[in-house]
Amino acid sequence: MDTFTNSKEKRILVTGGAGFLGSHLVDHLMEAGHQVIVADNFFTGHKDNLQQWLHHPRFSLIEHDITKPLDLQEVDEMYHLACPASPPVYMANPVFTITTNTVGTLNMLELAKKTGAKILLASTSEIYGDPQVVPQTEEYWGHVNPVGSRASYDVGKRAAEAMFTSYYRQFNIPIRIARISNSYGPRLPEDGGGVVGSFIKQALANKPIYVYGDGNQTRCLQHVSDAVKGIVKLMESDYTHPVNIAGTERFTIMELAQLIKSLIETSSEIVKKEPRQDDPRLRQPDITKAKTILNWEPQVPLKEGIKPTIEYFRQQLRNNNVETGIS
């Protein structure tokens, strides 16, 4: 993965740094020569994702739930990524999810206020809900069900954005807001890896690939390396308004299922199930701002990036079989 060089070593906190996106961000920041502190309660993250840095002198890991205040004396930058991000996980744990998005975000903003750190929120394209406008620019307010099964996440992230902008207006805290769209790549969790992880896991096991609804829902996927570069560029900018960090290749859920099935050469059948409540049908974030303000756009095509992701899952399956004695 390419890195951005920095003339000054920074002390950087990454909440949720043991997770999928967080651990790739940590790799990037460590390779760039920074001091990195990860705060994670391992609810969805794994220490194995940080294995290569655990004994590095510039790296430290704090097992901590951000719904409790975190006391650090010196921080230059904060990447606030902590939160369950996969629908099955956050829908099964709605109270924890919305508490992380609200109380946890408040605690991190208070820490930024105390230390003077610049702080970036990993928001999401989910804040647009089930959009009625295509594509979705940052000015679009969205179409969100505040009492639906996804509300702990999408409404929680909207609340987090409101908290960030409130702290900026009242206390002049230097904020950045990245609305990150569906990301995939190695380290995507086996359970709770979103639609990509679910399809790959089902296909490798020769089990049915479940498509919820008619399969015509659209997603714009991006490789995790592109997502990391986008949020780092946003952090390094002076822009304080939300920016979409998203893929540009638009796929239907059915097309994605068919692609993964063909690449794995599985005997799995694609099976349609009842649609999930409030599942966005036409997700296509507009990335004009990212292109013009950050000089960023995704570089990894899905058909190129999905292959090493499949190999990662295949290796994880082998490892699990060895551990359980399955040949």
Side-chain angles (χ1 to χ4, degrees):
M1 181 166 60
D2 295 336
T3 58
F4 298 98
T5 58
N6 291 280
S7 58
K8 180 185 177 184
E9 179 181 315
K10 300 170 186 172
R11 185 171 170 85
I12 300 175
L13 171 67
V14 182
T15 70
F20 164 58
L21 179 60
S23 63
H24 283 279
L25 174 62
V26 168
D27 290 348
H28 180 101
L29 298 173
M30 288 295 295
E31 289 164 6
H34 298 299
Q35 294 183 49
V36 177
I37 306 162
V38 166
D40 203 301
N41 66 353
F42 304 114
F43 184 75
T44 56
H46 298 279
K47 191 179 289 187
D48 288 348
N49 290 339
L50 302 169
Q51 192 64 43
Q52 63 176 318
W53 307 117
L54 291 179
H55 303 291
H56 196 286
R58 285 189 285 105
F59 178 82
S60 57
L61 174 62
I62 304 170
E63 185 170 354
H64 182 80
D65 187 332
I66 63 160
T67 61
K68 307 292 190 296
L70 179 61
D71 185 21
L72 294 175
Q73 300 304 312
E74 183 183 348
V75 184
D76 298 309
E77 293 179 351
M78 298 168 57
Y79 288 86
H80 178 33
L81 276 60
C83 184
S86 173
V89 176
Y90 64 67
M91 286 192 288
N93 301 275
V95 173
F96 175 76
T97 300
I98 200 161
T99 304
T100 301
N101 276 325
T102 53
V103 177
T105 296
L106 181 64
N107 287 334
M108 293 306 101
L109 285 164
E110 282 294 315
L111 180 60
K113 180 183 172 186
K114 183 183 84 170
T115 60
K118 184 163 50 172
I119 181 170
L120 179 143
L121 172 65
S123 188
T124 171
S125 58
E126 292 275 359
I127 66 103
Y128 299 121
D130 186 10
Q132 297 176 315
V133 172
V134 182
Q136 297 88 46
T137 68
E138 291 85 350
E139 288 72 32
Y140 177 54
W141 289 0
H143 177 235
V144 177
N145 180 357
V147 295
S149 60
R150 305 169 78 99
S152 65
Y153 186 67
D154 53 24
V155 176
K157 287 293 188 181
R158 288 163 75 96
E161 288 196 13
M163 289 180 178
F164 262 63
T165 53
S166 296
Y167 267 70
Y168 171 68
R169 292 186 181 111
Q170 188 166 342
F171 304 117
N172 202 30
I173 301 298
I175 64 165
R176 307 290 183 266
I177 299 174
R179 290 180 178 166
I180 305 168
S181 191
N182 302 66
S183 303
Y184 70 93
R187 299 183 204 154
L188 201 62
E190 293 181 59
D191 297 313
V195 64
V196 173
S198 296
F199 286 175
I200 293 175
K201 185 178 179 181
Q202 291 161 1
L204 287 173
N206 292 310
K207 294 181 178 179
I209 299 174
Y210 292 121
V211 171
Y212 293 89
D214 60 15
N216 291 322
Q217 310 96 306
T218 59
R219 299 291 184 269
C220 293
L221 301 169
Q222 63 181 331
H223 193 267
V224 64
S225 62
D226 283 326
V228 165
K229 291 173 187 175
I231 64 176
V232 170
K233 282 201 166 191
L234 178 57
M235 177 67 93
E236 292 176 348
S237 76
D238 294 323
Y239 196 71
T240 57
H241 300 286
V243 177
N244 289 330
I245 303 294
T248 53
E249 291 181 285
R250 189 178 180 187
F251 285 81
T252 67
I253 296 296
M254 183 60 73
E255 288 171 338
L256 179 62
Q258 291 167 341
L259 173 63
I260 290 173
K261 179 179 178 177
S262 67
L263 290 174
I264 294 177
E265 299 181 351
T266 178
S267 61
S268 298
E269 294 184 3
I270 298 174
V271 177
K272 292 182 180 179
K273 300 190 76 173
E274 286 296 312
R276 287 174 168 159
Q277 183 186 28
D278 302 325
D279 187 22
R281 290 197 56 81
L282 299 171
R283 182 179 295 160
Q284 186 184 359
D286 186 299
I287 65 165
T288 301
K289 276 189 170 61
K291 288 179 178 179
T292 56
I293 295 169
L294 307 180
N295 191 29
W296 173 89
E297 61 183 309
Q299 300 296 317
V300 182
L302 178 62
K303 290 182 180 179
E304 177 184 321
I306 202 73
K307 293 177 183 178
T309 308
I310 291 171
E311 287 311 305
Y312 170 81
F313 273 81
R314 201 188 301 275
Q315 186 58 51
Q316 292 300 106
L317 183 62
R318 292 193 197 103
N319 294 343
N320 291 342
N321 288 343
V322 169
E323 290 172 5
T324 56
I326 299 174
S327 59

